[in-house]
Amino acid sequence: MDEMPCIHAVAIIRDRKLISYDYCSNYYIKESLLATYEGIVYLVGNQNTWQVPKEVEEVLLLAPEGIVKSRRPKKRRNLSTWETKKSMKCGRCGQYGHNRKICRNPPKRH
């Protein structure tokens, strides 16, 4: 198990007076976090003094494919599978599927 229990599971663990650290990964205990930073970190020095192997120098790195187009954000969000679409009725034209704020139809004449 490489994760932590959700907040609901922690509540049940505490309710039963158990130790919550027994139910999470060893990566999250205090000793493991401290051990992560106990090693020595060496400085890399000035880039001009680096000794880069020839095969690494010759590797050509290209930009990722695809262009992210800048555009206006969506006015409506995509519904999740568990959500139902509400059928709304416009107060201006009387049609279903939109409201008076985004209505493009001419007002209904009485």
Side-chain angles (χ1 to χ4, degrees), residues 3-97:
E3 48 191 56
M4 294 177 62
C6 70
I7 194 165
H8 303 95
V10 172
I12 292 171
I13 291 168
R14 285 185 180 171
D15 185 56
R16 294 187 178 188
K17 310 239 186 302
L18 299 171
I19 300 169
S20 58
Y21 289 105
D22 292 342
Y23 295 90
C24 37
S25 172
N26 289 334
Y27 297 124
Y28 298 106
I29 63 172
K30 180 180 170 183
E31 290 79 18
S32 295
L33 289 172
L34 291 174
T36 302
Y37 298 102
E38 94 180 355
I40 299 172
V41 178
Y42 297 101
L43 298 175
V44 293
N46 189 344
Q47 188 174 354
N48 296 331
T49 62
W50 293 357
Q51 294 177 0
V52 182
K54 193 80 165 166
E55 61 271 5
V56 174
E57 257 183 17
E58 294 173 351
V59 172
L60 178 64
L61 294 177
L62 301 174
E65 291 183 15
I67 299 171
V68 178
K69 297 178 181 177
S70 61
R71 59 180 171 217
R72 195 174 187 170
K74 288 183 182 180
K75 288 190 177 191
R76 296 183 185 153
R77 67 180 182 85
N78 295 331
L79 295 177
S80 297
T81 55
W82 54 270
E83 292 180 296
T84 58
K85 188 172 181 175
K86 296 176 185 173
S87 177
M88 59 178 108
K89 185 176 180 182
C90 178
R92 184 176 173 198
C93 69
Q95 293 181 351
Y96 287 93

